[in-house]
Amino acid sequence: MRGRIRFLDTRPLHGSRAFRDLWIGTSVSQLGGQMANVAVLAQVWDLTGSPVGTGAIGLATGLPMVLFGLLGGTLADTVDRRAVVRATTAGQVLAAAGLCAQALADNRSVLLLLALVAAGTSCAALGPLRGAPSRSGCCRATRSRPVSR
């Protein structure tokens, strides 16, 4: 038996620069998104002091995710992926800028906050389109390798 047990195969991170860049970028993006979610929940709690208010954020996130997630498959088949990626990325940037602006302006409108969260989530729900071309292109070499034991 070997003295070193590997729980995670990190060879693709060392073997492919494109995969490493994709992995790091996705990780940083996900971390930033989770930090933004916590900030929005804290802001709604400060504004309302109500569990119903913070629960409304879940609704403003969940509904667009389901509705636009279903639409994403249709868009992938009918519209140019690059155009969809550009539009959804621009929408997410605008929603994030709106969240930042309303926080800096000390806005007290929970409805505006919910609308901005829903807009950002609607764009993010089309996210499976975003990674499909790059992941399939940069990960081809790592798929055929056997997993170490």
Side-chain angles (χ1 to χ4, degrees):
M1 187 157 128
R2 295 170 57 183
R4 184 176 168 188
I5 298 173
R6 293 179 72 165
F7 292 107
L8 182 65
D9 184 15
T10 59
R11 286 181 299 168
L13 294 175
H14 299 290
S16 171
R17 178 180 166 85
F19 179 74
R20 182 176 51 246
D21 291 345
L22 176 68
W23 187 83
I24 289 170
T26 302
S27 298
V28 170
S29 175
Q30 292 295 320
L31 179 64
Q34 291 304 315
M35 289 170 48
N37 287 341
V38 170
V40 166
L41 288 169
Q43 186 177 6
V44 170
W45 180 261
D46 286 343
L47 291 175
T48 64
S50 164
V52 173
T54 54
I57 293 294
L59 199 59
T61 303
L63 286 177
M65 188 66 72
V66 170
L67 295 174
F68 288 98
L70 294 172
L71 181 65
T74 305
L75 279 177
D77 294 336
T78 58
V79 179
D80 180 34
R81 285 182 186 226
R82 283 177 268 177
V84 173
V85 169
R86 286 184 190 117
T88 58
T89 301
Q92 283 186 296
V93 167
L94 289 173
L99 285 169
C100 183
Q102 65 85 29
L104 291 173
D106 198 28
N107 186 17
R108 311 290 298 170
S109 172
V110 176
L111 290 176
L112 176 62
L113 196 57
L114 291 172
L116 288 169
V117 167
T121 303
S122 297
C123 293
L126 299 171
L129 292 177
R130 186 165 309 202
S134 61
R135 284 192 183 117
S136 65
C138 79
C139 303
R140 209 172 282 137
T142 61
R143 280 188 249 150
S144 61
R145 292 183 187 166
V147 176
S148 66
R149 294 188 192 258

